[in-house]
Amino acid sequence: MRHMVLIRLDPAKTPDGGPDEQLIADMNTLIEEMTKAGVLLDTAGLRPTEEGTRIRQTGGKQTVIDGPFTESKEYIGGYCLLQTRSNAEAAEWASRFLRVHGPEWDIEVEVRQLDDQG
């Protein structure tokens, strides 16, 4: 089973300066463990919303909106693509990812199984 883990952040509730050196070291350790376990297929942080583009389609008409997206209270800050045996295993890896961040981070992940049909 493949799962996409979407990492959601509220920019108003993230520590000043972003991740510190300890978080980066702990995250690298977790990524190494996930890689050795064969569950991590890919992961990355995303560039700031100021550099993004949204394309919205309503009634067949498309509108292009360049970032930053000021109306957003949260954004997707990164992702992990996992290969696991179950939904519960994917949720456990995602939970471990959250724990690495510690109490100073207000962060959420959404774990979604990929629809591998077709």
Side-chain angles (χ1 to χ4, degrees):
M1 303 171 92
R2 293 186 305 158
H3 291 84
M4 178 67 70
V5 179
L6 301 172
I7 303 157
R8 297 182 187 275
L9 301 165
D10 180 341
K13 296 180 179 176
T14 58
D16 290 337
D20 61 19
E21 289 181 27
Q22 185 62 53
L23 173 56
I24 292 169
D26 292 346
M27 187 58 62
N28 286 336
T29 299
L30 179 60
I31 287 171
E32 183 178 326
E33 185 179 344
M34 293 170 80
T35 301
K36 285 180 181 176
V39 299
L40 183 63
L41 300 177
D42 193 26
T43 187
L46 299 177
R47 300 289 300 164
T49 62
E50 291 82 7
E51 299 175 23
T53 301
R54 287 184 180 167
I55 304 170
R56 182 171 291 146
Q57 181 167 311
T58 304
K61 182 179 182 225
Q62 292 188 355
T63 305
V64 177
I65 305 160
D66 290 324
F69 311 119
T70 55
E71 73 280 1
S72 297
K73 293 187 183 201
E74 66 177 28
Y75 62 90
I76 298 172
Y79 71 94
C80 294
L81 182 60
L82 306 179
Q83 177 79 45
T84 62
R85 292 179 295 274
S86 67
N87 291 334
E89 182 184 4
E92 176 56 33
W93 283 110
S95 179
R96 289 184 64 190
F97 172 85
L98 287 177
R99 282 194 300 272
V100 166
H101 284 77
E104 63 276 6
W105 284 81
D106 191 350
I107 187 171
E108 172 182 87
V109 294
E110 181 177 339
V111 181
R112 306 271 306 273
Q113 184 178 348
L114 273 67
D115 185 356
D116 286 328
Q117 297 177 6

